[in-house]
Every structure is written in structure tokens, then in C-alpha cells.
Amino acid sequence: MAKEELITMEGAIDEILPDGRFGVTLDNEHRIICYTAGKMRRYRIRSVVGDRVHVEMTPYDLSKGRIVFRERIPGPMPAGARKRGYRR
């Protein structure tokens, strides 16, 4: 395995921790602490408990990871959400 190779796994957010971190339970029942990737923070992609996410981990420390993708859940739009449109 090369030094730059990352392990990508899927899981679900089960806890929101302070300082922008999340508790994620992976599909293989391991629990890790994750933070959101820079692009997700830049585009203000919100993650809540129950969301399915893709996590990247380094082989050196398998207890921490980075959330790189949040899967869209089909269904009605949340009450507080609004569509982006033209603003004056």
C-alpha cells in the first residue's frame, strides 16, 4: 500500500460532537471520529444525525477520518429549506 492511499468506507452519523466533528458508525460496526472535508465546509453542506456518508481514513490511524460525501436522501424538502433563485 502506498503512503498516499486512503481507505474509503461508508457509514452513518450517529452523534454530533463539538468543534465540527461527528461520531460515525461504519458499516462494519466500528465507530470513528470524523470532521468534514474542506469542500463540504466551503459549500456549507450540512450533516445531521442519520445521514449516510463516505469517509476517508489513513491506514496509520483507523480511529479518525474525514467526511468527503453526504448521500442525498430522497423525500420532501425540509420545512426551513428554500430554493436558490435570483436575489435582488
Side-chain angles (χ1 to χ4, degrees):
M1 189 178 273
K3 183 177 180 180
E4 293 82 21
E5 282 191 43
L6 297 173
I7 301 167
T8 304
M9 300 193 75
E10 294 184 25
I13 295 176
D14 62 356
E15 184 180 8
I16 298 177
L17 302 169
D19 203 27
R21 300 194 185 272
F22 300 91
V24 176
T25 302
L26 301 176
D27 290 341
N28 60 3
E29 301 301 321
H30 283 82
R31 187 167 186 282
I32 62 173
I33 304 298
C34 297
Y35 63 93
T36 56
K39 290 265 184 165
M40 290 184 67
R41 210 176 298 134
R42 178 180 177 191
Y43 292 110
R44 294 183 177 92
I45 296 174
R46 303 285 181 206
S47 299
V48 294
V49 173
D51 282 350
R52 297 282 305 162
V53 292
H54 294 213
V55 176
E56 283 184 351
M57 299 183 303
T58 178
Y60 298 109
D61 187 5
L62 297 175
S63 65
K64 297 177 185 166
R66 176 176 56 225
I67 298 173
V68 293
F69 182 77
R70 180 181 64 93
E71 293 181 8
R72 292 184 180 216
I73 300 172
M77 190 180 293
R82 60 183 177 146
K83 291 185 177 179
R84 289 192 173 256
Y86 179 73
R87 270 184 28 183
R88 293 183 185 201

